[in-house]
Amino acid sequence: MLERVKAALPALPPAEQRVAKLLLQDARSFASLPVSELADRSHVSKPTVVRFCRSVGYDGLADFKLKLAGSVNEGVPFVHRAVDEDDKPQDVIVKVVDNAVAALLHYRNDAAGHAFERAIDALSDSARHNKRIEFYGVGNSGIVAQDAQHKFFRLGVNTVATSDGHVQLMSATMLQPGDCAVIISNSGRSRDLLDAAEIARKKGATIIIITASASPLAQMALGPSQILLAVDHPEDFDRYSPMVSRLLHLIAVDILTTGVALKLGPHLRPALQEIKKNLRAKRYAG
């Protein structure tokens, strides 16, 4: 949670930056102080404190303080230990597993519930009205996009995943209001994805962006039809293939899939049961 605030700090307005700096100086005190005291210490108004909380992806001050209290009291160290060339296999096991466990626990506290609620509502509306849901990603994020499409099409949703930049531009050009484009990126700096997001926005589609909160791609999720699902982790994606961030992206996709399945209701069960039945018959045939 604090990592997200640090990442978002340069993009915040000056008044909200003062609130962020107060938070980073003493997170435990921030979680317990009333809004009037936070405003006084930051030399800002009380509405500015609330705006800061919303700017970094939370419903408001109450939601922010609840998640913050869980984060600072949890006791799980959020220290990313990079794998080194001279690490033994046992060291690699410990580092990779510890990084994954710590990141997942912190994401549990950091994930903005209201942003996921908006995303689930938008995806469910698209599904109910037989609109298109497109998943875009490149490289490792393209694999996550394929996983998302694999999960969503079993819900009877009209969905595709594309990882080719040219196809993404053509696909985004065909989007309409009511459609959804889910754009997944570890760095949030892919030119192809930035272009696809801009085209989808102009076409009136809802854009759901899964990426780092301070990235250029995240900055595009500022309008009423754009939703940011921030995923922040201090992983060196320039040195090694993104591992923990990919796990977090997959978790975000699982949350969306589960939420949409619950929204669409019990009528999905017969179709899912028939899929399982047919797969089981194929598996044991002969």
Side-chain angles (χ1 to χ4, degrees):
M1 189 170 185
L2 298 180
E3 291 295 331
R4 177 189 296 187
V5 173
K6 288 179 183 177
L9 186 61
L12 294 173
E16 293 180 25
Q17 286 186 13
R18 292 198 291 273
V19 182
K21 290 175 182 177
L22 176 67
L23 165 69
L24 296 174
Q25 288 172 3
D26 190 351
R28 290 184 184 275
S29 294
F30 193 101
S32 61
L33 291 173
V35 63
S36 57
E37 182 71 15
L38 294 173
D40 288 343
R41 293 192 182 191
S42 304
H43 305 293
V44 300
S45 66
K46 288 187 283 188
T48 299
V49 176
V50 178
R51 282 196 299 271
F52 157 75
C53 297
R54 290 174 177 161
S55 294
V56 293
Y58 297 88
D59 286 335
L61 181 60
D63 180 47
F64 183 86
K65 291 173 74 172
L66 179 65
K67 298 289 181 63
L68 178 63
S71 178
V72 297
N73 294 324
E74 187 175 63
V76 179
F78 193 21
V79 179
H80 182 78
R81 297 191 294 165
V83 177
D84 297 317
E85 285 84 351
D86 58 351
D87 280 344
K88 296 178 181 178
Q90 186 61 38
D91 298 325
V92 174
I93 292 171
V94 171
K95 287 184 177 181
V96 170
V97 173
D98 282 357
N99 287 342
V101 171
L104 289 171
L105 288 173
H106 278 273
Y107 187 65
R108 179 194 65 190
N109 292 332
D110 286 357
H114 78 287
F116 270 99
E117 182 177 4
R118 289 180 60 209
I120 290 168
D121 286 344
L123 292 166
S124 300
D125 286 343
S126 294
R128 288 194 191 98
H129 295 93
N130 200 31
K131 292 289 188 175
R132 296 168 60 192
I133 297 177
E134 308 268 324
F135 294 97
Y136 302 153
V138 296
N140 279 281
S141 297
I143 297 172
V144 179
Q146 292 175 16
D147 179 77
Q149 189 272 339
H150 179 259
K151 288 183 168 71
F152 267 77
F153 95 92
R154 291 184 297 172
L155 304 180
V157 175
N158 181 15
T159 180
V160 297
T162 59
S163 56
D164 180 275
H166 292 87
V167 177
Q168 287 168 356
L169 294 184
M170 291 186 287
S171 178
T173 303
M174 301 299 291
L175 292 174
Q176 299 176 1
D179 295 332
C180 286
V182 182
I183 303 173
I184 307 164
S185 176
N186 181 35
S187 68
R189 291 175 170 81
S190 166
R191 185 71 260 167
D192 288 341
L193 294 178
L194 287 165
D195 290 342
E198 178 61 18
I199 292 172
R201 184 191 65 80
K202 289 180 178 178
K203 288 295 180 176
T206 298
I207 304 171
I208 300 168
I209 297 175
I210 303 175
T211 192
S213 58
S215 65
L217 190 57
Q219 300 307 308
M220 300 186 69
L222 300 177
S225 295
Q226 290 91 51
I227 303 166
L228 173 63
L229 303 179
V231 176
D232 295 303
H233 189 270
E235 185 171 50
D236 186 359
F237 52 82
D238 290 327
R239 183 176 180 186
Y240 295 109
S241 174
M243 294 178 283
V244 171
S245 56
R246 185 173 66 242
L247 290 176
L248 295 177
H249 290 167
L250 290 169
I251 286 291
V253 167
D254 283 348
I255 294 169
L256 294 174
T257 307
T258 304
V260 171
L262 292 172
K263 280 276 187 181
L264 295 182
H267 75 274
L268 285 173
R269 291 173 190 164
L272 293 175
Q273 289 171 352
E274 186 175 1
I275 289 173
K276 291 181 180 179
K277 177 183 176 182
N278 291 335
L279 288 174
R280 193 180 303 114
K282 179 177 178 61
R283 188 176 299 125
Y284 294 111

